[in-house]
């Protein structure tokens, strides 16, 4: 029995690791602290990119790998945070939602039109809005209700503070995806077969 990796498997592992590293790099951008315990960070952009560029499975794996590194104590979250304690904070819904949102974004991206770079960019924007904003924010709201004991209405109102910035991240994601689609026309957006 051979234990060597195929070229395709090695490439897949590399892309997962690189996306996890991109998530860590975006953590170097200073966070904006808000009074209710959930900071504004650039890291949700990597969640959107993971889904759009790698697809549901590999996007999920990349962000899960990142969170595993955070859980073992690496200070990779924005502001140099890491360790199990971050999973006990009001932001836990967003953190737990990161890999799932990457998966949802990737699944949507694989099903949206991809005939031209422009169409791919529009699909990336739509997938990012639905997976990286709507789905992720629903997870975040659930975390606020659970960990901060907030009623639904208050959690939704607090979550609205993140929407404008996340829509900008969706546009940035679409621009990056457009550039990659134009430069690398064979790239399988959303993990397409």
């Amino acid at each position: 029995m051979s234990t060597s990796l195929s070229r395709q498997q090695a490439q897949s592992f590399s892309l997962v690791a690189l996306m996890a590293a991109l998530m860590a790099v975006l953590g170097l951008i200073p966070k904006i602290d808000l009074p209710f315990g959930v900071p504004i960070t650039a890291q949700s952009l990597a969640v959107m990119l993971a889904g759009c560029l790698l697809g549901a499975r590999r996007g999920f794996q990349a962000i899960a790998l990142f969170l595993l590194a955070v859980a073992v104590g690496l200070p990779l979250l924005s502001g140099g945070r890491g360790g199990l304690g971050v999973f006990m904070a009001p932001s836990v819904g967003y953190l737990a939602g990161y890999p799932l949102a990457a998966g949802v974004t990737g699944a949507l991206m694989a099903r949206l039109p991809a005939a031209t770079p422009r169409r791919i960019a529009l699909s990336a924007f739509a997938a990012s809005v639905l997976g990286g904003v709507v789905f992720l924010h629903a997870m975040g709201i659930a975390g606020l209700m659970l960990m901060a004991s907030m009623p639904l209405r208050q959690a939704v109102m607090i979550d609205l503070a993140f929407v404008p910035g996340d829509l900008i991240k969706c546009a940035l994601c679409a621009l990056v995806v457009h550039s990659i689609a134009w430069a690398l026309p064979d790239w399988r957006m959303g993990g397409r077969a």
Side-chain angles (χ1 to χ4, degrees):
M1 179 175 192
S2 175
T3 59
S4 65
L5 294 175
S6 71
R7 181 181 174 141
Q8 186 177 7
Q9 289 172 319
Q11 182 183 25
S12 182
F13 288 147
S14 298
L15 290 172
V16 165
L18 284 171
M19 190 58 69
L22 175 63
M23 182 85 164
V25 168
L26 288 174
L28 296 173
I29 297 172
K31 64 184 172 102
I32 300 170
D33 286 315
L34 297 176
F36 48 86
V38 181
I40 295 174
T41 73
Q43 289 181 303
S44 57
L45 174 59
V47 171
M48 297 170 192
L49 287 169
C52 289
L53 296 175
L54 302 183
R57 182 178 53 83
R58 289 187 301 175
F60 176 90
Q61 291 170 342
I63 306 306
L65 174 63
F66 170 81
L67 288 179
L68 178 64
V70 168
V72 298
L74 295 177
L76 301 176
L77 289 173
S78 189
R81 298 170 297 136
L84 291 176
V86 299
F87 296 98
M88 303 302 162
S91 61
V92 69
Y94 297 97
L95 293 177
Y98 277 172
L100 298 172
V104 169
T105 302
L108 292 168
M109 186 68 186
R111 287 163 179 75
L112 291 171
T116 65
R118 183 172 184 255
R119 181 72 84 171
I120 291 170
L122 292 172
S123 294
F125 183 80
S128 295
V129 167
L130 293 173
V133 178
V134 175
F135 179 83
L136 182 59
H137 286 237
M139 295 288 294
I141 290 168
L144 286 170
M145 292 171 61
L146 179 68
M147 297 305 288
S149 300
M150 287 184 189
L152 175 62
R153 180 180 168 97
Q154 183 183 6
V156 169
M157 294 306 292
I158 285 173
D159 182 78
L160 289 176
F162 299 104
V163 173
D166 282 352
L167 290 175
I168 292 169
K169 292 173 205 169
C170 291
L172 288 172
C173 178
L175 287 172
V176 169
V177 167
H178 179 269
S179 297
I180 291 172
W182 183 79
L184 302 169
D186 293 335
W187 188 281
R188 299 178 320 136
M189 296 295 171
R192 293 175 199 273

